[in-house]
Amino acid sequence: MERLFVAEDGVSRCRWCASDPEYIRYHDEEWGYPVADDIRLFEKICLEGFQSGLSWWTILQKRENFRAAFAGFDYRKMATFGAEDVERLVQDKGIVRHRGKIEAVIHNAARAIEMEREHGTLAAFFWSFEPETDESGGEVVAQTQTSQRLSKTLKKKGWKFVGPTTCYAFMQAMGMVNDHHPGCAHHAKAVAARAAFTLPT
């Protein structure tokens, strides 16, 4: 299957974003571009967990609802959520009402605080996993050795809903890997963004 498409603006893009203007905006402005902000990183890994078994389009359409429901993904605030909050969220039609995933992200908020204490920032921890080479070999893959290692490490730290496929999607979303097709106009832009990016410490 052809992995590129040319939109009405004449720009060549990855085909996965062709179906919806919001998809195109996400592809052009976020996907594959490096992120160092801890709140944004926590949001991304939470949303990738919610996406498991669903389409990313579904999550993207509900993202603002997720942000409102989960205190902007401020993990310090989320860590204070209790049983009443879980019941509130399970009834929230604006998000994915999966009790296990809801409980997992609240649980992970407390783990994020622990990670911050241990590593200084979430960004410093996550970016320490950046692979030195392209493990995908230019192919579309669901996971890599690095995503397996990240998943295993997070699980040892008590995180939930962070399997290797979820972790790889997170690595793509946060710009740790650049999986824009080489023929996509945003591949070179993501390369340049990464070159200008200062690794968190």
Side-chain angles (χ1 to χ4, degrees):
M1 177 180 173
E2 176 58 48
R3 290 173 56 191
L4 293 170
F5 86 106
V6 178
E8 293 181 359
D9 59 7
V11 174
S12 180
R13 293 178 171 88
C14 302
R15 176 163 290 279
W16 62 261
C17 73
S19 63
D20 186 88
E22 185 66 14
Y23 245 176
I24 292 176
R25 188 209 62 76
Y26 174 73
H27 167 275
D28 289 2
E29 298 178 12
E30 296 186 52
W31 194 73
Y33 289 90
V35 175
D37 180 83
D38 282 358
I39 299 296
R40 287 187 63 201
L41 288 169
F42 188 69
E43 174 185 307
K44 286 181 180 294
I45 201 165
C46 287
L47 291 181
E48 294 298 347
F50 273 107
Q51 187 269 334
S52 179
L54 303 170
S55 72
W56 180 244
W57 186 88
T58 298
I59 301 302
L60 202 56
Q61 295 302 303
K62 294 176 179 289
R63 183 162 62 167
E64 290 304 321
N65 296 332
F66 274 110
R67 287 171 173 168
F70 287 99
F73 288 99
D74 183 333
Y75 48 89
R76 299 171 193 86
K77 294 179 181 177
M78 286 176 60
T80 67
F81 285 12
E84 290 184 1
D85 294 290
V86 172
E87 294 307 316
R88 167 180 61 82
L89 293 163
V90 168
Q91 300 301 319
D92 189 338
K93 296 180 180 179
I95 66 171
V96 174
R97 296 183 291 171
H98 185 294
R99 183 180 293 273
K101 293 178 180 179
I102 289 168
E103 291 177 340
V105 297
I106 294 171
H107 170 86
N108 290 348
R111 306 290 78 73
I113 292 173
E114 294 169 356
M115 182 180 290
E116 185 179 56
R117 289 170 181 162
E118 181 179 359
H119 297 275
T121 64
L122 273 61
F125 169 81
F126 286 123
W127 278 101
S128 71
F129 284 82
E130 184 180 21
E132 295 182 1
T133 59
D134 179 6
E135 297 176 301
S136 71
E139 300 298 320
V140 177
V141 299
Q143 57 181 270
T144 62
Q145 289 185 346
T146 298
S147 77
Q148 293 167 5
R149 186 164 59 89
L150 176 57
S151 172
K152 185 176 181 179
T153 303
L154 286 171
K155 288 178 180 178
K156 282 185 176 180
K157 291 179 178 292
W159 291 59
K160 298 180 179 179
F161 272 92
V162 286
T165 299
T166 294
C167 283
Y168 191 65
F170 169 65
M171 290 164 60
Q172 292 173 309
M174 65 171 280
M176 187 188 295
V177 295
N178 177 8
D179 275 349
H180 286 281
H181 187 279
C184 170
H186 288 271
H187 183 274
K189 292 181 180 181
V191 169
R194 175 61 189 87
F197 179 72
T198 300
L199 280 174
T201 58

